[in-house]
Amino acid sequence: MVAKIIDGHAVARQVRDECRELTKALATRGVVPGLAVIMVGDNAASKVYVANKTKACSEVGLKSTVYSFDADTPGSVVEAEIRRLNEDPQVHGILVQLPLPAHFDARRVLGAISSDKDVDGFHLYNVGALVQGETVFPPCTPYGVQKMLEHEGIAVEGQNVVVVGASNIVGKPMALMLMQKDATVCICHAKTRDLAQFTILADILVVAAGRPNLIVPQMVRTGAVVIDVGINRLPDGRLVGDVDFEGVRQKASYITPVPGGVGPMTVTMLVYNTVQSAQRHSLH
Ligand code: NAP
């Protein structure tokens, strides 16, 4: 068996086309979806991520504005700006680019975002709502994975899903979202003993550990769907995921590549969450 490669760019294009149509419809009612991005400090990687996000927004017709602060800005100043944006009717989504400088209390800053503009889904209210299956802003990376599965017509109900990685932004919300869709979910992490005994049971294996080559063919069930969220830069400069792509590809039924798999979906789901938010606000 050789796996079908799920083309993240193609799925992302389709979701963006949908966003573009919704944005056009909103424009006829004088609404332009607005995203505010808060960036603190001078982190080079953050600058690249923010540039990607604002580019994706403008391609779909959203208005994005970046609010930059020096690294030594007091947290209270950033929180005050967030509270101002909470009240701005032209802003439908607010995100804080992480990581924040060390002296910031990230949870407090994220908590200042109004839960109905929290397009990253990191506010505690939305995390709790996710547990209950009621969140309006599913976190972008796991949401992107869910969209990819839907796009390929891969049913989740009753399937054994194993999520490798238990972070707050990927692994845990991913597990909750798939459990909500009636999958049987197992979460593994760095202290899991004998990872293979769990991964081999997976009908759908989602890997988000940040460890190149963590998943090799003998850990994967023949015909499994393998979603590789990992992004790792090797010493030779190559970008790879967490899965031995060439090996596992011979065994799986579907697989996502790195790059070109989950990556393009993450930014796209941010755009999607912002457009959905604008639509909800416009109906109030
Ligand atoms: P993270 O916060 O570092 O979390 C990694 C998780 O993987 C932790 O739960 C950790 O376990 C677990 N883990 C580490 N080594 C492991 C091992 N050997 N076996 C099993 N589990 C192991 O990372 P993250 O933010 O979730 O990101 C994970 C990966 O996804 C990274 O490569 C990141 O670059 C990538 N990513 C990609 C996208 C995208 O758009 N494609 C978006 C976000 C992240 P413990 O909890 O026990 O430490």
Side-chain angles (χ1 to χ4, degrees):
M1 171 175 280
V2 179
K4 178 182 178 197
I5 296 173
I6 306 177
D7 180 350
H9 287 295
V11 185
R13 231 178 351 260
Q14 192 174 310
V15 177
R16 288 188 196 196
D17 287 347
E18 200 185 315
C19 291
R20 205 170 283 117
E21 290 309 311
L22 277 170
T23 303
K24 277 187 199 153
L26 285 167
T28 62
R29 291 165 26 216
V31 177
V32 179
L35 175 70
V37 181
I38 308 280
M39 193 161 71
V40 188
D42 217 17
N43 184 310
S46 290
K47 282 186 179 168
V48 174
Y49 294 140
V50 167
N52 285 342
K53 288 170 186 178
T54 55
K55 181 164 170 268
C57 283
S58 66
E59 279 170 12
V60 175
L62 277 65
K63 180 175 189 286
S64 61
T65 310
V66 181
Y67 297 84
S68 296
F69 296 88
D70 291 337
D72 57 5
T73 307
S76 57
V77 171
V78 175
E79 287 167 35
E81 184 65 13
I82 291 173
R83 282 194 292 275
R84 189 189 69 72
L85 292 165
N86 285 341
E87 301 303 321
D88 184 339
Q90 296 189 343
V91 173
H92 308 100
I94 303 170
L95 78 81
V96 174
Q97 184 64 41
L98 299 174
L100 289 168
H103 70 279
F104 275 82
D105 178 347
R107 183 180 289 191
R108 202 188 140 107
V109 174
L110 293 173
I113 300 173
S114 163
S115 59
D116 69 353
K117 295 190 177 183
D118 172 39
V119 282
D120 260 343
F122 295 160
H123 185 289
L124 274 184
Y125 177 87
N126 280 316
V127 176
L130 191 64
V131 173
Q132 300 206 342
E134 289 169 10
T135 187
V136 285
F137 295 116
C140 300
T141 301
Y143 202 10
V145 172
Q146 187 179 298
K147 280 270 174 203
M148 291 174 107
L149 295 172
E150 283 169 12
H151 181 268
E152 297 298 326
I154 297 166
V156 168
E157 186 184 309
Q159 299 294 295
N160 286 350
V161 174
V162 177
V163 180
V164 180
S167 71
N168 290 336
I169 63 166
V170 189
K172 283 183 202 162
M174 181 82 261
L176 287 166
M177 287 164 74
L178 295 174
M179 202 162 72
Q180 186 64 28
K181 299 268 176 202
D182 294 324
T184 303
V185 181
C186 162
I187 310 185
C188 302
H189 46 77
K191 294 177 195 73
T192 298
R193 279 185 288 116
D194 191 3
L195 185 61
Q197 72 168 326
F198 294 98
T199 58
I200 199 76
L201 295 176
D203 301 310
I204 300 173
L205 178 61
V206 182
V207 193
R211 298 281 179 276
N213 238 23
L214 180 65
I215 304 297
V216 292
Q218 47 286 25
M219 298 168 76
V220 177
R221 180 171 173 168
T222 301
V225 174
V226 180
I227 308 289
D228 191 354
V229 182
I231 301 176
N232 308 289
R233 179 76 66 185
L234 296 181
D236 65 9
R238 275 185 304 140
L239 208 59
V240 297
D242 292 350
V243 176
D244 164 12
F245 180 79
E246 285 309 328
V248 171
R249 193 183 160 192
Q250 307 303 322
K251 231 180 151 183
S253 56
Y254 291 85
I255 192 167
T256 60
V258 178
V262 178
M265 291 302 293
T266 296
V267 175
T268 299
M269 298 320 291
L270 172 70
V271 172
Y272 185 85
N273 273 349
T274 307
V275 175
Q276 295 292 327
S277 179
Q279 185 154 40
R280 267 195 301 276
H281 279 87
S282 75
L283 298 174
H284 288 164

